[in-house]
Every structure is written in structure tokens, then in C-alpha cells.
Amino acid sequence: MAILHRLHRSAAAAFSPAAAAARRGLSALAAERTLERNVQWVFLGCPGVGKGTYASRLSQLVGAPHIATGDLVREELASSGPLSQQLAEIVNQGKLVSDEIIIDLLSKRLERGETKGESGFILDGFPRTVVQAEILEGVTEIDLVVNLKLREDVLLEKCLGRRICSQCGGNFNIASINVGEGNGKPGMYMAPLLPPANCMSKLITRADDTEEVVKKRLHIYNEMSRPVEEFYRKRGKLLEFNLPGGIPASWPKLLQALNIEDLDDKQCAVAYTFERVERRTSKYSMQPDHIVCPWILVAFSWMEMFFSRSEFCFA
Ligand code: ADP
């Protein structure tokens, strides 16, 4: 986490007129992985795909903080601080906040976490531009990037059904999605994720979850954030995961894809995920002190067969 601290210190330089030079300087700080730290994962995916849902569940499982830049933006908006008016206009039009502001918010969040002794992270909604990805790459190593995928008509329905409890902050969804198969796409069922009775009267809708703004956000995702997928694909770090349905259908499969369905031996599972990423790319050599459990090696060939037949794969 100490290396991420540099994100904050380098943010000003990264956006100065000498940005290119500053970034060259940042690359000199490229982090070597320390196996003492927790996972450093990124969740990518279109608005409404469920990045927050799955990243926060995984965060509880692996003990790394779930850091959603969208939440940081909304906190800033709610704070009535100097940025809030400016942010409201950008977010409510479905546009992206500037890289500079986002890096600043993220740096501050990481610093707060560092003082609390947090280790590792699961980033959700960052990086969203190639510039952000380059800056992140310059300051620390990302172990794995999970790219959640869902058909676009379902994404829109999910965003429109999203509700938040204004009191406890819980995320729910009132949409009941049941689309038949067609045009070569499989059918899909997603039950609503209803709130408990005491939240029911306190539900609010995000101001940017209107049909017009969601469509704009999807458009901007395709334009600005798709290239981020390619950025990580080229580096052999992208795990493509097609959500097969709602949480009951998707969660166990995601755990399988990450090989953490049995967290009795959490360290081994995480090490295996690192191992898989490294094995897929010749760029990243095996660390001498790499922890790999023997059963993982035994299971490896079986997993290879399994992955090649299922809906998730390393790009
Ligand atoms: P989404 O459902 O679109 O994934 P988020 O909650 O992640 O929404 O983000 C909400 C808004 O916050 C975005 O539409 C954007 O305006 C802003 N935002 C969040 N993360 C970033 C980022 N990494 N870069 C720029 N803007 C961001």
C-alpha cells in the first residue's frame, strides 16, 4: 500500500504541462509485488453490470477493501464541498469526472486506508480511461482485472431498477429481469434484490440512473473505458467473466473463476490466482518466494480443461 501513497504525491505532476515527463518518472516507481500484501484487483464493466455487488462481496471474502470511485464521487457530492457543484453537473450528465479529480479522490481514500492498516484493494470503477490505467500501472502492480459482462438491454433495465436505502446505504434492485434467448444470445433470469421491510420506505434512485443518462454512460463506457479492457488484455491480466444470471447463478461461478470457492486456505487460493495470471503471460516471471500449494498444481490441468469449456476465460 505504501507504493499507492505515491499516487497522491504524483497526481499533481501527472497532470502538469510536463505530464508526459512526469509519467516517465512514475514508471521508474513500478512496484515489485510483495507477497505480504493482500490482493490488488480491478473490476471493469459497464454501468449496471454489478461491479459494486461482486467487488464488495469479494472484499469481505479476501479481506481487502472495496474502493469504488463512484462512491467517492457521490461522497464528495453529498459533502457540499468546493467540488460538489461541479461534480453534480458532470455526473448527472453521465460524463466522466476528470482524471485529475478522480486520482485526487482515490489518493485520499488510499491514504485514509493506509493509516487504518488496510492492505491490498479491490478497485471498482477505476481505471476508466487509459490515462488512469497508465498512472496506476506506474505506481503499483495490479494482479488481476475482472471484466464483468452482461448484454446491454439487461444493463439498462438493471440501472433503472437500482435503488439505494437513504439511511443504511444498502444497494437493491427492484427489476425482475427475464429475457428469452434470441439472436444467438442465451436467455437470462435475474430476480429482484429487494430491500428488507425497514428500508422499503427510504429507497432513493441515483440521479444518474435515468434512461437518458444511462444510455449516455453506456456510450461513454464504450468510447473511453473499452480501451482500458484492451490495455489489460495486452498485459495478460484480463479475466473475462460473462454473468450467467443474477447473484445466485453468478456468484459461485465467479468464485470458481477466481479459484476461491474454498477459502479455508485463502492464501493458497490467492497465490493460485497470481500463478494463473503469470502463467498466461510470459512477461511476468515467477517470483522465487511464490507460494503455491501442491494441491493447486495437481488441480491445474483439470482447471485448464474446465476454463476452456466455460464462460470465463483469460484474454
Ligand atoms: P457506473 O454505474 O456508471 O459504473 P459509478 O458509480 O462507478 O457508476 O460512477 C458514477 C459516476 O462517477 C460516473 O458516471 C462518473 O461520472 C464518475 N466516476 C466514477 N469513477 C470514475 C473514474 N474512474 N473516472 C472518471 N469518472 C468517474
Side-chain angles (χ1 to χ4, degrees), residues 7 16 22 43 57 130 148 159 164 169 208 223 252 289:
L7 191 60
S16 73
F43 267 70
R57 282 178 162 235
V130 169
L148 296 182
C159 283
I164 298 154
D208 59 345
E223 208 170 85
D289 51 349

Side-chain angles (χ1 to χ4, degrees), residues 7-228:
L7 191 60
H8 186 48
R9 293 205 300 269
S10 58
F15 295 102
S16 73
R23 273 195 284 281
R24 274 199 299 279
L26 278 174
S27 67
L29 300 175
E32 32 342 273
R33 174 191 311 140
T34 122
L35 288 176
E36 280 145 33
R37 65 158 168 77
N38 210 331
V39 300
Q40 298 193 166
W41 291 349
V42 163
F43 267 70
L44 298 181
C46 288
V49 76
K51 298 184 291 293
T53 303
Y54 294 103
S56 81
R57 282 178 162 235
L58 282 169
S59 142
Q60 287 165 24
L61 215 55
V62 302
H66 164 219
I67 301 179
T69 44
D71 289 346
L72 301 180
V73 168
R74 281 182 288 277
E75 276 166 29
E76 190 65 29
L77 268 172
S79 74
S80 322
L83 279 180
S84 78
Q85 182 58 33
Q86 188 191 342
L87 288 179
E89 275 168 33
I90 298 169
V91 174
N92 294 343
Q93 289 179 55
K95 294 180 182 164
L96 289 187
V97 172
S98 74
D99 293 334
E100 186 173 8
I101 292 176
I102 281 291
I103 299 268
D104 188 50
L105 293 175
L106 179 61
S107 308
K108 287 177 181 154
R109 168 62 187 83
L110 290 167
E111 279 178 27
R112 288 198 298 277
E114 201 177 342
T115 55
K116 287 193 282 176
E118 283 178 356
S119 171
F121 51 74
I122 302 181
L123 292 179
D124 151 9
F126 184 94
R128 242 178 170 102
T129 64
V130 169
V131 170
Q132 292 175 10
E134 284 169 349
I135 290 173
L136 187 62
E137 183 177 58
V139 292
T140 195
E141 183 173 355
I142 295 303
D143 309 319
L144 179 70
V145 179
V146 181
N147 189 24
L148 296 182
K149 291 158 98 173
L150 202 54
R151 37 193 286 184
E152 199 153 297
D153 49 346
V154 173
L155 290 171
L156 181 61
E157 269 196 73
K158 278 194 71 200
C159 283
L160 298 182
R162 194 148 57 178
R163 297 292 181 275
I164 298 154
C165 174
S166 55
Q167 194 167 52
C168 72
N171 281 280
F172 307 102
N173 206 303
I174 59 166
S176 176
I177 293 164
N178 196 357
V179 284
E181 47 178 287
N183 293 337
K185 293 178 189 166
M188 178 167 291
Y189 174 69
M190 287 188 183
L193 185 59
L194 296 175
N198 53 330
C199 294
M200 200 60 105
S201 61
K202 297 157 199 142
L203 296 185
I204 52 169
T205 305
R206 268 170 53 171
D208 59 345
D209 273 344
T210 63
E211 181 164 350
E212 189 193 351
V213 178
V214 172
K215 284 184 173 163
K216 171 90 182 189
R217 279 156 58 206
L218 287 168
H219 176 76
I220 289 184
Y221 185 90
N222 286 327
E223 208 170 85
M224 307 292 289
S225 306
R226 288 273 179 229
V228 178

